[in-house]
Structure formats: C-alpha cells, structure tokens
Amino acid sequence: RGALGALSHPVIRAIVRQVDGRRPVSATIGYLPADPERIAEAIQATAATGVDYVKAGFFSSENLAPCLDAIAPLTRDQAIVAVLFADRSPPLSDLAKFAGAGLAGIMLDTADKTAGHLTAHLDLRALGAFVADVRNLGLLAGLAGSLRLTDIPALLPLEPDFLGFRGALCAGARRRDAMVPDRLHAVREAIRV
C-alpha cells in the first residue's frame, strides 16, 4: 500500500515475537497526511507493538515544525526514524530540525516506485552529502528507494547505517510479490563485502 505502507499491528506483533530480539525490527506508521495529532497517535500505536524503530514518512515540508513538535515527546521512549522522499522535494536543509526533535535517524526513500530508483533522483554526490550531514548530527542515516543489488557497490562507500530493500528481494523484482530467500541472501552477501 504505497511507498510506506503499514502492516497491521497484529502482524507486526507476530514478527516481533518471531524475531525475539535476535535483530532490530522496524515498522512504518503508513502513508499519512502531515497532521501532527494523527502522526503522533500512529507512532504510539506502532511503538506499542514492540518494534525497535518506528518509521514516519514526511512526504512534504507541510506542517513540518508542528509534526516534529508532536513527535518530540515520543522520542524519549521510542526510537523514531523520519523517512524523506527524494522524488518529493525533501527538506534536506532542515535535517537539524529532525535531530532537534530527538529522532534516531533519517532515511531517504522514493515515494513513486514507478518513477525510478533513488539514484535517478539524487546523484551519488548528493546522497553522500545527505549521509554525511545526517551522521554529523549524530543520527542514523539510511538509503532506500527501489534499490537493486547492483546499487550496493556504489552506495556502500557513502557509509549509510542501513540500506532498505523491498522489490529487489521479491520474485521478479516486483515489490508486491513474495520474498525470495536467494535474493535476500544475495543482498546480504553484497553488503558484507
């Protein structure tokens, strides 16, 4: 359901139980409008599932300050990662505001998965600057956005804390299809290099 579609809370809880602390688990609040109250409520509900990180999408700069003000008190008890979208004029000049609100990290993704990979919207120099700026603020920096196995060698030298994959892990590289263990293994091996 969209670039940042959310799973149901019972499914997230089941995943958290299955992983049982062996690895960190993140979950998104879904595609929501820039409504501070709705975003804060969705973060709290997703955090209650027991995930380590809650991802909240910022699809525009609309209501950025009020949304961050609503999220800030929640960061005391929950690691929250902001997701910005390279194909939606992300507020890259406002990264310090996310740090000021106490967020744990910032991830750069794409909203329209039919409009190209992350590198079609921002070149490696811009992505490197993003990662450096976020890490200089003391936050985790992540990159996603229709990433492919072949993107890994170019992105790893930028030193992001994490890379996000969905379609690349699925049958036929179609993000709505089932994950294929061999694809997951290939990505994991490429990142280990």
Side-chain angles (χ1 to χ4, degrees), residues 3-5 26-28 53-59 80-87 90-92 95 98-99 103-111 113 118 122 127 130-131 133-135 139-147 160-166 175:
L4 213 57
S26 69
T28 175
Y53 296 94
V54 174
K55 295 182 290 192
F58 290 82
F59 291 88
I80 301 169
V81 175
V83 182
L84 309 181
F85 297 91
D87 54 341
L92 298 180
L95 297 179
F98 293 93
L103 273 71
I106 306 173
M107 178 176 169
L108 196 56
D109 199 343
T110 56
K113 302 304 180 185
L118 179 65
L122 292 173
L127 294 174
F130 166 79
V131 170
D133 290 347
V134 171
R135 295 194 66 196
L139 306 181
L140 297 171
L143 300 174
S146 297
L147 297 183
D161 293 292
F162 58 91
L163 297 174
F165 296 88
R166 188 179 340 182
R175 60 198 310 267

Side-chain angles (χ1 to χ4, degrees), residues 165-179:
F165 296 88
R166 188 179 340 182
L169 306 179
C170 298
R174 292 180 301 269
R175 60 198 310 267
R176 293 179 182 260
D177 288 349
M179 283 182 49

Side-chain angles (χ1 to χ4, degrees), residues 22-34:
R22 290 186 302 272
R23 297 287 185 271
V25 176
S26 69
T28 175
I29 63 172
Y31 189 105
L32 294 178

